[in-house]
């Protein structure tokens, strides 16, 4: 029985492709501090539809591994879901023109008081493509050292109560599969790290690997 993955004996590549439809109209419904709620009028060739979505600058997350193959997770309150979630260090790409890895390094220093010498791109994904255009890149960071005491960031708001915990990568993956961990960057990043490790880390890409999905800021 054919599973649809081969044509004439050759594997068919599964690759997302850029295929924009014509936007006939664009309206900002709500202008926010970080992201906006917008409505587009879109020509789908056979019909015209209106689609509302969050216009988002994008974000980065960091799967941090120490020499004992432990991953760093942070417990942080997330108000929309009313829960404290275990997450990797992460943050918005809200500095115009900033390379993604530079933003990730800043978040690692601010949220975990750590500096990493070795950086790779681990995995890229869209967080909620049916409802917003947020593209997120997950880095793998290793070879760690602490931020000097006199250079540490003063954490505020939700970040003030962050709890840090080192967890074995296997235990973190098990927590994801049990349904105990729900943050998308933790789910995607931890499982990607386990998969990459099983393949000898050969899937890792350079930290500055092309990322065309990242929203271009005006």
């Amino acid at each position: 029985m054919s599973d649809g993955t081969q044509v004439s004996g050759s594997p068919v590549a599964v690759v997302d492709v850029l295929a924009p439809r014509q936007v006939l109209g664009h309206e900002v419904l709500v202008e926010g501090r970080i992201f906006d709620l917008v409505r587009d009028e879109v020509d789908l060739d056979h019909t015209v539809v209106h689609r509302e979505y969050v216009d988002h600058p994008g974000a980065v997350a960091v799967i941090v591994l120490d020499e004992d193959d432990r991953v760093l997770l942070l417990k942080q309150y997330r108000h929309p879901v009313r829960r404290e979630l275990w997450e990797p260090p992460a943050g918005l790409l809200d500095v115009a023109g900033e390379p993604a890895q530079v933003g990730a390094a800043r978040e690692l220093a601010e949220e975990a008081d750590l500096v990493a010498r070795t950086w790779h791109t681990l995995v890229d994904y869209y967080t909620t493509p049916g409802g917003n255009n947020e593209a997120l890149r997950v880095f793998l960071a290793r070879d760690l050292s602490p931020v000097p005491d006199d250079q540490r960031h003063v954490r505020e708001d939700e970040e003030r109560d962050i709890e840090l915990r080192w967890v074995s990568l296997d235990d973190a993956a098990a927590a994801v599969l049990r349904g105990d961990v729900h943050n998308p960057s933790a789910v995607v990043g931890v499982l990607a790290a386990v998969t990459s490790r099983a393949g000898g880390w050969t899937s890792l890409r350079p930290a500055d690997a092309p990322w065309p999905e990242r929203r271009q800021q005006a």
Side-chain angles (χ1 to χ4, degrees), residues 127-191:
T127 58
T128 317
N132 70 51
N133 60 358
E134 180 184 9
L136 198 146
R137 169 159 284 186
V138 183
F139 291 94
L140 181 72
R142 294 177 288 188
D143 298 323
L144 308 170
S145 59
V147 172
D149 290 342
D150 61 349
Q151 298 177 24
R152 294 194 172 186
H153 177 70
V154 178
R155 293 190 277 270
E156 300 176 339
D157 301 327
E158 289 91 344
E159 293 183 350
R160 181 177 179 178
D161 297 321
I162 280 178
E163 177 184 339
L164 283 69
R165 185 175 300 176
W166 290 96
V167 182
S168 80
L169 186 57
D170 291 330
D171 287 347
V176 167
L177 296 177
R178 283 196 309 269
D180 292 341
V181 172
H182 301 87
N183 172 269
S185 295
V187 172
V188 173
V190 165
L191 296 183

Side-chain angles (χ1 to χ4, degrees), residues 19-22 24 42-49:
R21 274 45 169 183
Q22 183 179 11
L24 304 175
V42 187
D43 185 352
L44 297 180
D45 296 332
H46 53 82
T47 187
V48 174
V49 299

Side-chain angles (χ1 to χ4, degrees), residues 23-102:
V23 176
L24 304 175
H26 177 79
E27 179 183 4
V28 177
L29 302 177
V30 179
E31 184 173 353
R33 184 175 64 88
I34 300 297
F35 38 77
D36 302 330
L37 177 64
V38 302
R39 176 189 290 134
D40 285 353
E41 184 179 12
V42 187
D43 185 352
L44 297 180
D45 296 332
H46 53 82
T47 187
V48 174
V49 299
H50 291 86
R51 294 291 179 261
E52 297 171 357
Y53 61 95
V54 172
D55 187 23
H56 196 288
V60 288
V62 190
I63 295 297
V64 186
L65 286 184
D66 69 6
E67 63 277 7
D68 296 319
D69 230 14
R70 297 183 303 170
V71 61
L72 178 64
L73 296 177
L74 319 176
K75 186 168 71 173
Q76 185 170 350
Y77 177 66
R78 294 299 185 181
H79 185 68
V81 295
R82 309 298 199 271
R83 283 167 170 77
E84 294 178 336
L85 302 181
W86 287 102
E87 315 175 350
L92 295 167
L93 289 170
D94 52 0
V95 178
E98 182 179 61
Q101 186 271 323
V102 173

